[in-house]
Amino acid sequence: MQQQKKYAPRPLPNFINNSHIQISADDFPSKNFIPVRNPSSGEIISYVPLSTPDVVNLAVDAAVSAFSSWSTRTYKDRASVLLKALTALQSHSDELADLIVLEHGKNKLEAMQEIAKGLETLEYSLSVPVLAAGRVEEVSRGVECKDLRKPIGVVASIVPFNFPFMVPFWTLPLILACGNTLVLKPSEKVPMTMSRTVEILKEAGVPAGVVNIVHGAIDTVNALCDHPDVKAVTFVGSTKVAEIVYKRALASNKRALCLGGAKNHLVATPDCNLEMTAQDVVNSFTGCTGQRCMAASVLLTVTPQPALIASIVSKAKSIVFGSDAGQLGPVIDKDALKRINDYIAEAETSTSKILLDGRSNVYEKLEGKEGYWIGPTVILHQDKNDRAMKEEIFGPVLSIYECKDSEEALEIENGNPYGNAACIYTTRGDIAEFFTKRFNAGMIGVNIGVPVPREPFSFGGINSSKFGYGDITGDGVIEFLTQRQKITTKWVRPSESEDAKGNWLT
């Protein structure tokens, strides 16, 4: 296991107008702070302040003030600032990855891949000068119409714990490229990565007030949703909270785009490539310890496929704990660990069969190390209505159900209320087309268990996995972050008598 750096626990400041705003030391530690823990050990590594509405007001005021100048710069000018930010962040990738490993627990390779994916969105934002270009057309004789994209103002972005860098960068680059300013609220469970990131953005030349951070929890989110100068809210998290945030933002006449949870189904037909399918399924449900909204949650085999299931169990069983490449990290906290254990325990008392139990010998494998660890778990269900078959577990747990035919597999996938991802494993194009046309999900894979689109294609689910219109990346979010201004023009040709009086053009 990789040796992690030691950090002396200290209170994190908010970051407003390119300055650190520290809560008074007299209040530390107190009920105004939440401890941030290293999931690998359980030790406290920092403290995050619970920002009050007054602090939120300071951040929004800074963003409003910066908007007046940032929004009037040209697309090309803003892109040049973002290009410098890209170079700076690339040079700090290793440092940021270490912070992700420390506060989130995923392994170092996963952390580096997360940063690379976040920077891919930043790279895409450099094309906004072309993507956001307006249209000009002569719509009638002597009448011309054109439209322009105008930034909307201050955007609040509320992000989850599972990707401390990547999810903030789904929105941050495009918010800035479109001419808006940002108030970001990182997850209180992983606040350190973005706290360091905004320092790097400042060093790269991002102007004061363009990007601001307010730490906190529910009250901070509510203050952002209610603030009259916040024009739009983006959110990524659970479906329950996504709907609450969406409705609260709409109540104050804001634009809102809120992504929720998922229950992603993989379907394997008898003709699938056994080795590739087994490895891809394991990668999908154990990667990032299953703490991602695109992770495999349910595998539906069309007819029994014991050889495939045995291969999945064997590969998952060989995974070891740690923070090196290919190793399995902990889950985020003790509440997550308890929730996952409860689902496994419930399945154990039902008609289900635990093929691989991640609760077994965890601490012995870790040589007594503390933290929030659980191994890959595979459950073979007899009842498709089991709770673990229907609810998001958000851990390295795979539920398997053997379907009698393709129609039953589609009935189960279509019947779930979410709509993030689905995948079909097959070697035949006609079978792939049959399922992709019938899956009820926003992102679909063929032999790819984590079908995350790459830029320029956008990310977004459907049904209860999303509240609001459009996707959170790509051209869809450009529409969300701008408003169209339409200009219709007509000129009257001067008469000969007016020309005789002296037309300045002649």
Side-chain angles (χ1 to χ4, degrees):
M1 182 179 294
Q2 182 180 0
Q3 188 68 33
Q4 293 180 348
K5 297 178 182 178
K6 291 292 184 181
Y7 287 81
R10 60 183 180 84
L12 284 171
N14 291 301
F15 188 82
I16 299 172
N17 215 26
N18 272 3
S19 297
H20 292 126
I21 307 298
Q22 185 72 64
I23 301 296
S24 171
D26 294 338
D27 297 333
F28 173 77
S30 73
K31 63 181 181 180
N32 297 322
F33 292 86
I34 299 175
V36 180
R37 296 184 182 273
N38 178 346
S40 297
S41 64
E43 66 179 333
I44 296 174
I45 52 176
S46 188
Y47 291 87
V48 64
L50 296 174
S51 299
T52 63
D54 287 342
V55 175
V56 171
N57 290 341
L58 285 175
V60 175
D61 287 348
V64 169
S65 178
F67 177 75
S68 62
S69 59
W70 181 249
S71 62
T72 58
R73 296 171 76 161
T74 64
Y75 282 115
K76 183 178 179 182
D77 192 14
R78 292 193 293 261
S80 69
V81 175
L82 292 172
L83 179 58
K84 293 175 183 176
L86 172 63
T87 302
L89 289 167
Q90 286 172 332
S91 68
H92 287 275
S93 291
D94 196 66
E95 175 194 356
L96 293 171
D98 284 339
L99 281 173
I100 293 172
V101 173
L102 176 72
E103 65 177 352
H104 178 276
K106 64 182 63 175
N107 69 52
K108 181 66 177 284
L109 177 61
E110 289 173 334
M112 292 296 291
Q113 290 171 336
E114 172 183 344
I115 292 169
K117 187 67 178 72
L119 294 182
E120 189 175 284
T121 309
L122 178 51
E123 291 171 348
Y124 176 75
S125 74
L126 301 178
S127 62
V128 164
V130 175
L131 297 172
R135 298 171 296 174
V136 180
E137 184 176 342
E138 186 178 22
V139 295
S140 183
R141 183 172 298 176
V143 178
E144 176 189 270
C145 279
K146 65 179 179 180
D147 65 2
L148 306 172
R149 289 189 182 273
K150 297 286 189 178
I152 56 176
V154 179
V155 181
S157 190
I158 303 155
V159 294
F161 75 84
N162 55 330
F163 288 95
F165 184 88
M166 184 188 77
V167 173
F169 269 72
W170 279 352
T171 53
L172 184 154
L174 290 164
I175 287 171
L176 270 57
C178 289
N180 303 294
T181 53
L182 171 66
V183 179
L184 174 73
K185 195 209 82 68
S187 167
E188 62 274 20
K189 298 178 182 181
V190 291
M192 299 169 68
T193 301
M194 284 310 298
S195 291
R196 177 64 184 123
T197 298
V198 292
E199 293 174 346
I200 297 169
L201 293 178
K202 175 185 176 180
E203 295 165 5
V206 174
V210 172
V211 178
N212 307 275
I213 281 185
V214 288
H215 295 292
I218 295 173
D219 290 344
T220 311
V221 172
N222 289 342
L224 288 169
C225 289
D226 296 343
H227 199 292
D229 288 331
V230 172
K231 301 304 180 184
V233 174
T234 68
F235 172 89
V236 181
S238 70
T239 286
K240 178 182 178 180
V241 180
E243 186 172 13
I244 292 170
V245 171
Y246 177 71
K247 290 180 177 178
R248 186 157 189 147
L250 287 187
S252 56
N253 202 30
K254 293 174 172 53
R255 297 184 182 189
L257 180 56
C258 303
L259 304 192
K263 192 70 177 176
N264 303 318
H265 293 72
L266 314 180
V267 177
T269 55
D271 65 285
C272 71
N273 182 292
L274 190 149
E275 175 64 23
M276 183 274 292
T277 300
Q279 188 61 62
D280 197 69
V281 169
V282 171
N283 292 345
S284 181
F285 90 89
T286 65
C288 299
T289 323
Q291 298 177 120
R292 51 186 178 181
C293 64
M294 295 292 285
S297 185
V298 175
L299 172 65
L300 303 172
T301 65
V302 178
T303 70
Q305 298 181 46
L308 173 62
I309 294 173
S311 181
I312 289 170
V313 171
S314 175
K315 291 177 185 300
K317 190 174 184 179
S318 68
I319 294 174
V320 298
F321 297 100
S323 57
D324 294 329
Q327 295 181 337
L328 188 74
V331 293
I332 190 64
D333 58 26
K334 64 181 181 181
D335 290 338
L337 182 61
K338 181 182 184 305
R339 183 188 68 249
I340 296 165
N341 279 327
D342 287 348
Y343 276 104
I344 300 171
E346 182 177 316
E348 193 174 32
T349 60
S350 70
T351 58
S352 304
K353 183 177 181 181
I354 310 295
L355 303 181
L356 180 62
D357 192 342
R359 302 168 299 175
S360 304
N361 302 317
V362 168
Y363 292 107
E364 287 82 350
K365 292 176 183 177
L366 289 165
E367 300 177 355
K369 189 175 182 65
E370 296 298 322
Y372 315 118
W373 300 86
I374 187 162
T377 298
V378 181
I379 306 170
L380 181 61
H381 294 266
Q382 301 301 315
D383 186 349
K384 58 187 174 185
N385 293 313
D386 285 346
R387 199 163 67 98
M389 282 283 294
K390 289 180 169 292
E391 298 179 8
E392 184 175 38
I393 299 175
F394 224 59
V397 178
L398 179 69
S399 292
I400 300 177
Y401 183 79
E402 297 172 320
C403 301
K404 62 179 182 291
D405 52 32
S406 298
E407 284 69 26
E408 185 181 20
L410 283 168
E411 178 187 354
I412 294 171
E413 191 278 334
N414 288 179
N416 94 92
Y418 302 102
N420 238 28
C423 171
I424 174 66
Y425 291 102
T426 180
T427 56
R428 289 175 47 181
D430 59 332
I431 292 176
E433 185 175 14
F434 176 83
F435 277 94
T436 57
K437 285 184 174 180
R438 291 165 176 81
F439 278 145
N440 187 26
M443 293 168 283
I444 295 172
V446 177
N447 298 319
I448 297 177
V450 185
V452 176
R454 305 293 293 267
E455 270 62 36
F457 298 96
S458 57
F459 184 100
I462 58 176
N463 306 328
S464 292
S465 291
K466 183 181 71 175
F467 299 89
Y469 179 78
D471 290 338
I472 204 164
T473 65
D475 56 1
V477 82
I478 293 174
E479 191 72 24
F480 175 80
L481 293 169
T482 58
Q483 52 194 357
R484 291 180 183 268
Q485 183 180 67
K486 285 73 65 177
I487 303 169
T488 305
T489 304
K490 178 181 179 181
W491 297 110
V492 179
R493 181 180 176 85
S495 65
E496 292 185 8
S497 60
E498 289 174 324
D499 281 340
K501 295 177 182 177
N503 188 326
W504 66 269
L505 284 173
T506 60

